[in-house]
Amino acid sequence: MKEKQPDISNDTPDPVAPADLREPLIVIASNRGPYSFKRNEDGQYNVQRGAGGLVTALAALAERHQVLWVAAALSEDDRAWVQQRDRSPQNVEGILLQLFEPDKVAYDKFYNQIANPLLWFIQHQLWDTPRYPSIDGDTWDAWHNGYVAINRQFADAIVASVKASSDKRPVLILPQDYQLYLVPQLVREQLGEQVQIQPFCHIPWPGPDAWRILPAEMRDQLLHGLLASDRVGFQTRKDAFNFVQTCRFYLPDAHSRGSRSTIHYQDRNIEAKAYPISVDVEKVESIAEEMETRLFKNQLINSIGDSRLILRTDRVEPSKNILRSLQAFRLLLERYPEHRGKVKMLTLLVPSRMEVGEYITYLKEITAEASLIDADFSDGFWEPVRLIFGDNYHRAIAAMQLYDVLMVNPLADGMNLVAKEGVLVNQRDGVLLLSEYAGAFYELGDQAMTVSPFDIHSTAEILHQALTMPAEEKSRRAEALRSQVRHASVKLWFKTQVDDALAGLRQTHDPS
Ligand code: G6P
């Protein structure tokens, strides 16, 4: 989910700290940076720790390593902030932040035409293929002058930052996600084999068939871009396996000699490996205790009353399958009238990507379905469905403390951190309903109730089972889920990747 943290500081980050020459330099590259900047009335900048699972996940790393983070300046205030600092890297909370200013026209094509929706929709298998997408002249233009161009700008910014700050230290470069698939190759061309390049793909990697939507030239360029890495990280072993199969299927020069997880391509070996992401356990637990969370919790308790609570909390995102969870709830009320007046479905929604038509349509469909359920079932006192819009992490955590059932039924999801946050903070031995197509299913599936995201008939049955589950079973499942998440924090996720990259680096420098 997208979540915003409160302001963490007021203007003036520290000057750049002197480099520790013994430490490797870890370079993270992501489209959205860890911080954004907002100019206030006095002309000072408020720093906001950013949104999204990726940022939450990576914020922990600065405690252990020297980190340079390269990201795009997304807003006008971000651009002004960079310019005011002569475009040099700045120390924010121990991270050296290098924002670069992407070309605006190219960026729009990159973000709104290729990354979202084209790649996102392919990787979550959302396209209604008899109708969409049509790859037309605009798409080709957006590919060359948007996606390729912005990846090139990113690569150049990374290379410039590395050259300016590495002092011959070993360098690990970790590009994040589907926006930056071409970066490994573009960086490799300039920095050679001495640097370790290890991208991580946060979203699902589907098998070869899904990639047929992309014309061969785009697809091959994308795979070729990623295969300049040393290792490519994925959320699950299934994603890593699918990546290997995709490369083997489409690239005649890609082989996986005996191993299902290593690709041999153009005289190099590239490993595909799963690193399941998690949440920052201590941070989530401490936010759950904060006063702001308590205030939201009290407010929610008042509005829920004696009702049982079915919760979902998501970005407005077609892959999250919000519409079918409402349809399943409608079926529950139809088939099991005993729940009427006693159960509420609370849906917290963060509008996102409103520049992309499919997202606006989806939002309208959700609103319409929720209104119709209320119109059909409300008795004037009881409000079966409530939608709350807005990006408020404290409120989301408060609601997660209170659910009896947490609905996580995506059509496809790289991991789904809501499932992990939910089981960590919930205080009612709530039941997790989890899609078998969420990456989290591989860790939490045993103790969750499995839902098939397309099957609203069975989802309604499972909702009923969850609402009537004996207390002892609920408690046993909730405890097992909580302990699973507690033992695999995001710090471990990052450490494992860095350890692998460091081992790769040692191998490069001393192959004996
Ligand atoms: C979600 C996904 C990330 C992705 C991000 C992009 O949070 O889980 O994998 O990078 O969306 O969102 P944005 O708002 O930056 O386009």
Side-chain angles (χ1 to χ4, degrees), residues 1-2 31-32 52-54 74 111 116 120 177-179 202-203 315 320 352-353 413:
M1 63 178 285
K2 271 184 76 172
N31 173 48
R32 192 178 290 279
L54 168 62
L74 296 180
Y111 187 82
N116 314 304
W120 180 276
D177 234 351
Y178 58 98
Q179 299 93 347
H202 290 254
I203 66 175
R315 286 190 300 115
K320 301 289 183 188
S352 78
R353 301 182 189 163
D413 212 334

Side-chain angles (χ1 to χ4, degrees), residues 105-126:
V105 175
Y107 188 84
D108 180 59
K109 296 174 182 178
F110 153 86
Y111 187 82
N112 289 321
Q113 287 194 60
I114 303 296
N116 314 304
L118 187 57
L119 296 178
W120 180 276
F121 271 47
I122 287 175
Q123 294 196 232
H124 291 84
Q125 304 194 63
L126 296 175

